[in-house]
């Protein structure tokens, strides 16, 4: 119990170090944690006797795995070179994790595709096996993201200004294809806190075409409770009622 309290104090101190600093990982990791947890639950709930249920759950698994692979590529391509340039050696353990994740992703994808070819009678054990394997993948990723948000962020904050980190993030975002961006937004926007959500939506309004912004707004409205939606609408200068733009 005491060591848990010490660990929490240590984490709170680490988070305070980053207070007011640009956090490269926070938003996308909230999205990934939510998508991973939700997909794991969907596999656990999938009825092995129901074709549509199994198909739907496997499609969700494939969608998650594709996003995880893409996320690894983005971090390897943008976050790690930044770390390697000014904090040599820091990214090595996480880079090794990434290699392992890509192998897990390939195995889980094979399992999901195989499951779709099985007779209904063989699906129950295959679903349970996939559920357990996916749970370990999620657990591993949660540990991994924790290291990135503490060790990597601490190193980045010490070695880079916020303007430099924002430039790295902008360069990364410029490579994300629109369908992937929409998927990320679907999982990220509802999971952010209200000020974070407003910040992302303000950025989208400034940088994305109006129909894209409107589509995101409609999508997120359906995922927020009344208070959350009112805060977002107020922050964006919109009426909480749909379609009634105030000034
Ligand atoms: Fe990572």
């Amino acid at each position: 119990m005491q060591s848990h309290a010490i660990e929490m104090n240590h984490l709170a101190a680490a988070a305070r170090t980053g207070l007011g600093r640009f956090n490269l990982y926070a938003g996308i990791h909230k999205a990934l944690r939510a998508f991973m947890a939700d997909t794991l639950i969907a596999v656990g709930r999938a009825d092995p006797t129901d074709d549509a249920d199994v198909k739907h759950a496997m499609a969700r698994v494939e969608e998650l795995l594709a996003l995880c692979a893409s996320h690894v590529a983005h971090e390897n391509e943008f976050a790690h070179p930044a770390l390697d340039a000014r904090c040599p050696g820091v990214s090595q353990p996480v880079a090794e994790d990434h290699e392992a994740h890509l192998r897990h992703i390939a195995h889980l994808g094979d399992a999901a595709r195989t499951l779709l070819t099985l007779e209904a009678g063989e699906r129950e054990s295959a679903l349970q096996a996939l559920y357990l394997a996916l749970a370990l993948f999620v657990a591993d990723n949660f540990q991994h993201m924790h290291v990135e948000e503490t060790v990597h962020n601490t190193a980045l904050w010490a070695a880079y200004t916020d303007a430099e980190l924002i430039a790295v993030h902008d360069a990364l975002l410029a490579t994300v294809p629109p369908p992937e961006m929409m998927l990320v937004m679907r999982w990220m926007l509802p999971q952010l806190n209200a000020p974070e959500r407003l910040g992302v939506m303000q950025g989208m309004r400034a940088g994305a075409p109006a129909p894209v912004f409107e589509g995101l707004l409609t999508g997120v409205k359906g995922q927020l409770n009344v208070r959350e939606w009112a805060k977002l609408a107020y922050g964006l200068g919109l009426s909480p009622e749909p379609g009634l733009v105030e000034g």
Side-chain angles (χ1 to χ4, degrees):
M1 201 61 179
Q2 199 185 1
S3 70
H4 179 68
I6 290 167
E7 171 71 356
M8 285 304 294
N9 287 339
H10 178 71
L11 289 176
R16 270 198 302 277
T17 308
L19 211 59
R21 296 299 312 270
F22 181 72
N23 190 329
L24 206 57
Y25 292 105
I28 184 63
H29 280 182
K30 280 189 177 179
L32 286 174
R33 287 186 184 96
F35 196 6
M36 286 175 182
D38 200 74
T39 304
L40 178 63
I41 289 167
V43 173
R45 290 174 64 163
D47 175 354
T49 68
D50 183 334
D51 285 358
D53 226 26
V54 172
K55 243 185 176 162
H56 178 71
M58 294 311 102
R60 285 285 306 281
V61 170
E62 294 259 40
E63 197 176 36
L64 171 69
L65 295 176
L67 185 61
C68 289
S70 184
H71 178 65
V72 165
H74 297 324
E75 288 183 347
N76 287 349
E77 205 177 325
F78 292 94
H80 290 201
L83 282 163
D84 296 344
R86 298 191 193 172
C87 324
V90 169
S91 76
Q92 187 55 35
V94 162
E96 287 165 15
D97 281 357
H98 282 175
E99 293 301 314
H101 288 170
L102 292 175
R103 288 193 294 276
H104 290 172
I105 287 167
H107 289 149
L108 289 166
D110 285 345
R113 285 184 290 277
T114 302
L115 218 147
L116 291 173
T117 68
L118 299 179
E119 299 295 323
E122 297 173 299
R123 283 185 197 145
E124 187 174 354
S125 60
L127 269 172
Q128 176 65 4
L130 179 60
Y131 177 70
L132 292 176
L134 185 60
L136 285 185
F137 176 73
V138 170
D140 197 28
N141 271 275
F142 274 35
Q143 298 271 359
H144 170 89
M145 289 189 281
H146 178 85
V147 173
E148 290 174 330
E149 288 189 47
T150 53
V151 178
H152 279 200
N153 265 340
T154 302
L156 288 167
W157 289 327
Y160 285 89
T161 65
D162 278 349
E164 289 173 321
L165 293 176
I166 290 167
V168 170
H169 192 243
D170 285 348
L172 187 164
L173 289 185
T175 69
V176 178
E180 182 182 325
M181 184 61 82
M182 295 308 278
L183 180 67
V184 167
M185 287 297 145
R186 181 256 173 271
W187 288 102
M188 184 177 353
L189 287 173
Q191 313 308 337
L192 297 175
N193 64 39
E196 290 169 339
R197 186 180 303 119
L198 177 60
V200 171
M201 288 304 285
Q202 284 169 330
M204 281 290 171
R205 181 155 67 177
V212 172
F213 173 75
E214 293 295 334
L216 284 174
L217 199 60
T218 305
V220 74
K221 184 173 192 280
Q223 295 175 292
L224 299 180
N225 66 34
V226 172
R227 275 175 73 81
E228 290 166 335
W229 169 247
K231 287 176 189 173
L232 181 61
Y234 180 79
L236 291 170
L238 308 173
S239 160
E241 290 306 311
L244 297 178
V245 180
E246 289 174 352

